[in-house]
Amino acid sequence: MSQRERNILNTQPSLVRSLPVNCRVALAWPASDDDVAAILQHCTGLKRLYVVKQPGDPRPPSSLLGNPCIRFVTIADERAVREVLPPLFEKDNLAFVEGRVGVGIDERRRQAAPEFCRRLESCVLDFTRDMVASAAFRCTHGWHVLENMVLNLDRIRRESTLESLFDRASGRPVVIVGAGPSLDKNIGVLASFMDRVTIVACDAAWPMLMRAGVTADLVVTLDDGDLVWRFFAPIPAELQANTGLVGILSSNWHVMRTYRGPIFFGRYDKPMDRQIEKALNRSVPLVDGGQCVGHAAFELARLMGADPIVMVGFDLAYSDNRFYSKSMEVPIFEALEPPPENMVSVEGIDGKPVRTEISFLMYLREFERRIARCGRQVWDATEGGARKAGTRIVDLKTALTESLGAATAAKPRVTELAAKTGADAGRPQLDRWRKSAEELTLKIREALCDGLLMEREPAPYPFLSPHEELLDLVSSVINPCLMAELFWAWDDWVTDRQGIVQ
């Protein structure tokens, strides 16, 4: 930046100076409409500017209202921030994936409403973090996830969906089992109750339950990686045959294709999942799998109508130097000591601090969010680890004795839950996708040969519209940062061409 540019910048309002020059999207709470114009002049590459207004603020001038880059957002108070902003951000999510985001707040606004400003900044930061994390995941796992889906197609079309499990444990306790170190304390208690209570195990906990003589009714697996196979390798075929497996479309294909028992599939609300559902010509229910398999097990218990949901083995903290049960044959990340800066302390179930890692802290907060909104009793019978806000802390024997005392109906059997769809149901439309890809490739080659890019049309690719399904599918697996860069370059080009035509 030249000295002249620095001098110009120093004359700008403080909220303008706080915004990166190269930001792609920004949120501002300015003191006046002149500040909005100054932001647009300062951030020349801005594609979306959210301008916060409050009820009673004057109407912006028509010159700003007509600017397609600006979106005025009325927010009454700090309680409404997270209700209003995330749905708007979701519509512009491509603007967030590069992390080129800024927040500009007038200093007088900040002094007058510090909590409101803090929530604005926090909301932008959280959404940006989620989008960047999703972009990083897609960069490394996108094609791998698609591979799982394609290789799972045959099993998906023949098996049951999560809908078969909805409300099947209504008003009854469901025990969800994680693989934390406290599982060693009370795993034996489950054996004496397993014929009367529904047990949902995370995949890592299943081998430990088996060795303790505990039969799980359902096992949940989300992982798309091959390492998850180590949890299924010890399980004999006859035990698999009598245990339902709950997964998503992109769960590890080797586990799904070789599993001997019934499978119940769900899906995420992502473009690729929607295309697979459409190709199958059948409904696959959404599942909020959260950040880990434990969250998915909790969601499954909720969908089954469990009351209470009893948590076991979810320490989310270390016991000595372990965050897994001693009986785990192949410990997770045993050789990987987390860096000191990732270690934090949280309140334990006895009120004393326990040591945990930042990823477990994120899982803990997500559990607490789900507990607060699920509308069911949640009893934490882990008997160790981190305290989870909103739960009743109780030992496992007491939890099962009390909850089963009020239950009269027999627990659902897995063999009664599975509803096979039949081998001819919903044949995948892979041939249609293949034909679409061939047609699209040919059209692109013709466009390049004809010099279509040199045309003065604002949108020179009308032949893309018949292939929206294919493009939607492909966009789910490519590097979203590159996609955003291409999209915004294209947007600039179209804008320039329109300017020429006009």
Side-chain angles (χ1 to χ4, degrees):
M1 183 182 296
S2 68
Q3 185 59 48
R4 179 175 177 275
E5 290 172 326
R6 291 193 187 94
N7 292 337
I8 294 175
L9 179 60
N10 288 335
T11 64
Q12 299 284 11
S14 60
L15 87 165
V16 176
R17 296 198 301 271
S18 67
L19 293 172
V21 176
N22 69 337
C23 64
R24 192 78 80 185
V25 59
L27 177 113
W29 193 18
S32 68
D33 294 327
D34 290 340
D35 290 347
V36 177
I39 291 172
L40 296 178
Q41 186 178 15
H42 174 64
C43 306
T44 56
L46 202 62
K47 296 300 179 181
R48 175 71 71 202
L49 175 61
Y50 298 95
V51 179
V52 175
K53 291 284 187 179
Q54 291 195 307
D57 285 351
R59 180 180 173 84
S62 57
S63 59
L64 295 181
L65 287 173
N67 190 322
C69 172
I70 303 173
R71 178 170 289 169
F72 290 94
V73 185
T74 300
I75 306 177
D77 53 39
E78 61 266 18
R79 292 171 295 180
V81 169
R82 291 192 178 272
E83 297 176 6
V84 174
L85 288 180
L88 296 178
F89 292 165
E90 191 62 46
K91 296 178 181 178
D92 296 321
N93 57 22
L94 199 61
F96 286 83
V97 299
E98 298 167 290
R100 292 164 54 179
V101 180
V103 177
I105 298 176
D106 179 76
E107 194 57 38
R108 287 165 293 181
R109 303 274 200 190
R110 188 181 298 279
Q111 293 175 2
E115 178 60 20
F116 185 69
C117 295
R118 187 192 68 79
R119 294 203 184 191
L120 289 176
E121 292 172 328
S122 175
C123 190
V124 174
L125 177 62
D126 289 346
F127 189 86
T128 304
R129 182 197 62 198
D130 290 345
M131 289 307 304
V132 171
S134 176
F137 178 83
R138 289 246 305 271
C139 290
T140 55
H141 283 264
W143 284 105
H144 184 55
V145 168
L146 179 60
E147 177 190 45
N148 280 329
M149 286 187 172
V150 172
L151 292 174
N152 284 338
L153 280 174
D154 185 61
R155 193 78 191 252
I156 294 168
R157 70 185 180 89
R158 291 187 289 109
E159 293 285 351
S160 303
T161 71
L162 278 178
E163 194 170 6
S164 301
L165 303 176
F166 290 176
D167 296 321
R168 294 306 294 267
S170 182
R172 291 183 55 85
V174 171
V175 180
I176 59 173
V177 186
S182 293
L183 186 60
D184 296 321
K185 297 179 183 178
N186 53 20
I187 191 170
V189 176
L190 282 175
S192 58
F193 287 89
M194 66 184 183
D195 292 332
R196 294 187 292 154
V197 66
T198 299
I199 298 175
V200 175
C202 296
D203 46 17
W206 193 16
M208 291 175 277
L209 292 177
M210 179 190 70
R211 286 191 288 273
V214 179
T215 302
D217 297 282
L218 296 164
V219 175
V220 182
T221 185
L222 301 183
D223 204 328
D224 57 86
D226 294 335
L227 284 177
V228 73
W229 176 249
R230 69 192 185 278
F231 302 134
F232 292 85
I235 309 298
E238 59 270 22
L239 183 54
Q240 292 186 25
N242 293 304
T243 307
L245 181 64
V246 176
I248 54 175
L249 302 185
S250 58
S251 292
N252 178 258
W253 70 270
H254 189 57
V255 170
M256 293 296 168
R257 290 183 68 169
T258 60
Y259 192 72
R260 300 297 183 89
I263 301 180
F264 303 88
F265 281 98
R267 69 171 177 89
Y268 288 151
D269 188 19
K270 295 180 179 179
M272 190 159 37
D273 295 63
R274 293 193 291 268
Q275 290 297 344
I276 293 290
E277 181 187 48
K278 189 174 182 179
L280 290 167
N281 194 31
R282 65 177 296 202
S283 174
V284 182
L286 287 170
V287 58
D288 182 4
Q291 301 166 338
C292 67
V293 68
H295 295 151
F298 186 95
E299 177 69 1
L300 174 61
R302 186 189 70 83
L303 292 172
M304 293 181 72
D307 195 4
I309 300 172
V310 182
M311 303 178 69
V312 179
F314 288 96
D315 294 67
L316 303 176
Y318 281 78
S319 175
D320 297 326
N321 291 320
R322 289 181 297 105
F323 58 87
Y324 48 82
S325 170
K326 286 181 180 178
S327 57
M328 181 178 287
E329 283 190 340
V330 185
I332 308 170
F333 307 130
E334 183 179 27
L336 298 179
E337 182 69 24
E341 59 269 22
N342 283 6
M343 302 305 296
V344 294
S345 292
V346 296
E347 183 184 2
I349 63 167
D350 58 359
K352 298 177 182 179
V354 292
R355 192 170 67 103
T356 191
E357 199 258 347
I358 193 168
S359 60
F360 288 134
L361 179 60
M362 294 173 61
Y363 298 161
L364 171 62
R365 299 301 177 230
E366 177 62 16
F367 267 121
E368 292 176 337
R369 186 182 71 83
R370 289 167 183 261
I371 290 165
R373 71 176 189 177
C374 74
R376 312 282 167 77
Q377 299 179 82
V378 181
W379 297 358
D380 185 8
T382 295
E383 300 185 46
R387 176 182 291 271
K388 304 164 192 69
T391 63
R392 174 193 174 189
I393 297 175
V394 61
D395 67 89
L396 181 58
K397 185 175 181 179
T398 300
L400 297 182
T401 301
E402 287 189 15
S403 59
L404 285 170
T408 56
K411 77 171 185 178
R413 309 296 302 181
V414 171
T415 52
E416 298 169 355
L417 297 177
K420 298 286 185 179
T421 60
D424 294 329
R427 291 188 178 278
Q429 300 296 316
L430 295 179
D431 289 340
R432 178 167 56 80
W433 282 342
R434 186 178 297 109
K435 182 179 179 181
S436 178
E438 292 170 353
E439 292 176 354
L440 182 57
T441 302
L442 181 62
K443 294 280 190 179
I444 291 175
R445 287 174 179 168
E446 291 175 352
L448 293 173
C449 291
D450 294 343
L452 195 57
L453 281 174
M454 301 307 295
E455 296 289 335
R456 294 165 65 86
E457 299 293 332
Y461 287 155
F463 58 78
L464 291 178
S465 56
H467 305 282
E468 289 179 356
E469 287 183 349
L470 180 68
L471 296 173
D472 200 22
L473 183 64
V474 173
S475 70
S476 299
V477 296
I478 66 172
N479 183 331
C481 296
L482 294 178
M483 184 171 69
E485 186 177 351
L486 174 63
F487 180 85
W488 298 123
W490 173 265
D491 187 67
D492 288 339
W493 184 84
V494 169
T495 302
D496 290 343
R497 303 301 290 182
Q498 288 175 328
I500 293 173
V501 172
Q502 294 171 356

